[in-house]
Amino acid sequence: MPRRQRTIAAVLAAVILAVLAIASGTRAADPPAKPNILLIVADDLGWNDVGWHGSKIKTPRLDALVRAGVELDRHYVQPVCTPTRAALLSGRYPSRFGPQALVPSNLRVLPPNTPTIASLLRGRGYETYLCGKWHLGSRFEWGPNRYGFGHSYGSLTGAADPWTHQYRVGPYAKTWHRDEEMVEEEGNATELLAAQAVKWIEDKREPWFLYVPFTAVHIPIDTPPEYKRLYDGQTFHDEPANDESFKRFAAFVSQLDAKVGQLIDALDRTGQRDETLVVFTSDNGGLERGGNAYISEVAPTPVLSDNKPLRGQKATLYEGGIRVCAFANWPSQLKPGKLAAPMHAVDWCPTLAGVAGVQVVEPLNWDGQDMWPAIAGSALPHQPRTIYWAYNKASALLHDGWKLIEHSPRRIELFNVLSDPSETTDLAASEPQKVAELQKLLATERKSDQTELPADLRGLPK
């Protein structure tokens, strides 16, 4: 073929491929071999605490990210903080690590040398940084620097007062740290964490994995005054104490929203937005009311989060405790949309490892699966998903839209959460065969659980 004809043919082929790509909805840009990953975790954010679910709370930056990204509509986590964080980082159900992993814990949760998404990415050449709440062991020898994070900053414990940065009275009261050194700082905790995360982004240490588990919006509830002014002149409750409480909580959510916006602005400003995958989730459902057991002068909050129309709240196995606000956003790679397939926090370790091109050599016994094809819209899971929860003395299992909650051998509930997401109708009595089927699956999952506290943790302060 003459050179001119070959050139024309090549141009025509390129045009045809471009048209086909547009028609099929694929992206022209190839994904980076080692994309930056920004994983943001809110603390105790309820289903109905965000604008995209109809809340009166102002969350414009999060709403915009959802509209431009993939909303993860059935994103499940554990009922409380520590178990979700263990699942998120390890890809394994927290029950695999022992009873200390099933409740909010100051003890070491992950056995030494447990592979985490941070250690896997670090082995792939990533710089890794935790900026926020750890809650998987409140001593430095149990802290993030021992589990793959090159740097860490924030709270080792389950919560910290927004102004004193302290936990509760006891051996773990001092918790604010930087790279295994306790630090004393002035300022609001959420502002400090966001500023540090922005600085990390601006330093452009590519490729990087930045894990930002905010202490917001966990009690104690307070913010700088500019966020409270967002709700001046509005009334949400007739009772003044309840109204003040809710407005203080709303301000906290809006502060979280603004700080997430600052992280995105930093990506844009430094030209890293198109090569950065952003993931957002809450660690569990919202808490409807709360006191203040922390070293703090912040007032209690008789009115807090809202999980409606989902049933339940934090520390329950109902949907309001374990189904949370979540999305993935990556402008160069993800089309706006909504993923209806169920996924769980355990999926993020295999999913992010896959996105980053991590080659897994040894079996890691992941309970999660790589959900990237489903998130990216190229393929959906072929088989019904089974998701398992162990929490205190209760258990739950989700399979093909059916959800079994076993509170005790004599108290069992069954819901079809596809047709009844608010869990209004218990079908256990009318569907005995389905109960038996799910109990069999539940028994199989329990076989892999560790039921005894590790010997070296016995007798230590919890």
Side-chain angles (χ1 to χ4, degrees), residues 14-349:
V15 170
I16 291 170
L17 287 173
V19 170
L20 290 174
I22 294 171
S24 63
T26 58
R27 295 284 183 174
D30 291 327
K34 294 182 182 180
N36 300 324
I37 299 170
L38 173 58
L39 175 57
I40 305 169
V41 178
D43 200 338
D44 291 6
L45 184 70
W47 182 263
N48 197 32
D49 293 338
V50 293
W52 81 83
H53 285 159
S55 176
K56 295 178 181 177
I57 298 176
K58 300 172 183 178
T59 57
R61 300 304 302 267
L62 290 170
D63 298 345
L65 288 167
V66 172
R67 287 194 301 269
V70 177
E71 180 181 355
L72 307 175
D73 189 51
R74 296 181 64 205
H75 187 281
Y76 287 98
V77 293
Q78 298 297 121
V80 288
C81 318
T82 291
T84 291
R85 294 159 203 276
L88 184 71
L89 293 179
S90 72
R92 304 191 67 200
Y93 292 130
S95 52
R96 310 313 193 202
F97 302 122
Q100 82 286 0
L102 300 183
V103 294
S105 181
N106 288 306
L107 294 176
R108 187 198 67 229
V109 171
L110 304 176
N113 303 313
T114 298
T116 68
I117 186 57
S119 63
L120 293 172
L121 291 176
R122 199 171 182 187
R124 175 80 170 126
Y126 277 68
E127 294 283 345
T128 57
Y129 190 23
L130 179 144
C131 186
K133 168 178 167 177
W134 173 240
H135 207 191
L136 294 174
S138 297
R139 295 181 178 181
F140 288 138
E141 61 265 32
W142 304 334
N145 296 72
R146 310 301 175 97
Y147 290 93
F149 288 98
H151 298 279
S152 65
Y153 169 72
S155 170
L156 289 171
T157 55
D161 179 81
W163 304 107
T164 69
H165 313 150
Q166 294 191 62
Y167 182 57
R168 302 178 180 185
V169 174
Y172 306 113
K174 295 286 187 180
T175 185
W176 205 252
H177 71 99
R178 185 189 302 275
D179 288 337
E180 302 197 344
E181 289 187 9
M182 293 298 181
V183 294
E184 298 282 347
E185 292 182 310
E186 293 186 358
N188 176 268
T190 306
E191 299 292 316
L192 291 171
L193 294 176
Q196 189 65 50
V198 166
K199 184 178 185 303
W200 175 270
I201 292 171
E202 291 176 338
D203 286 346
K204 298 181 67 173
R205 311 171 187 193
E206 298 177 357
W208 50 256
F209 170 54
L210 175 56
Y211 175 42
V212 188
F214 280 104
T215 52
V217 289
H218 193 291
I219 56 174
I221 308 294
D222 203 21
T223 70
E226 59 265 30
Y227 301 103
K228 298 175 183 176
R229 287 196 289 268
L230 293 172
Y231 299 93
D232 282 351
Q234 299 183 56
T235 302
F236 298 96
H237 293 271
D238 293 334
E239 171 62 41
N242 290 349
D243 188 59
E244 187 277 336
S245 175
F246 179 78
K247 285 195 283 191
R248 187 156 29 104
F249 175 73
F252 207 7
V253 176
S254 291
Q255 181 190 21
L256 170 68
D257 178 79
K259 297 304 106 177
V260 172
Q262 286 185 358
L263 303 186
I264 302 303
D265 291 343
L267 292 174
D268 287 332
R269 188 168 60 251
T270 57
Q272 300 179 85
R273 188 70 183 90
D274 282 346
E275 57 197 41
T276 303
L277 167 62
V278 178
V279 175
F280 177 92
T281 180
S282 180
D283 62 345
N284 44 251
L287 189 67
E288 294 175 358
R289 62 189 61 83
N292 186 358
Y294 299 86
I295 301 172
S296 168
E297 296 181 358
V298 174
T301 34
V303 174
L304 279 173
S305 189
D306 182 6
N307 299 299
K308 294 183 182 65
L310 304 181
R311 178 180 179 180
Q313 61 171 328
K314 175 183 178 178
T316 74
L317 288 168
Y318 296 115
E319 295 287 279
I322 59 175
R323 181 178 169 188
V324 297
C325 310
F327 62 80
N329 183 290
W330 193 359
S332 66
Q333 303 300 323
L334 295 177
K335 289 173 37 176
K338 179 184 290 190
L339 177 63
M343 63 179 296
H344 186 275
V346 291
D347 296 330
W348 284 113
C349 191

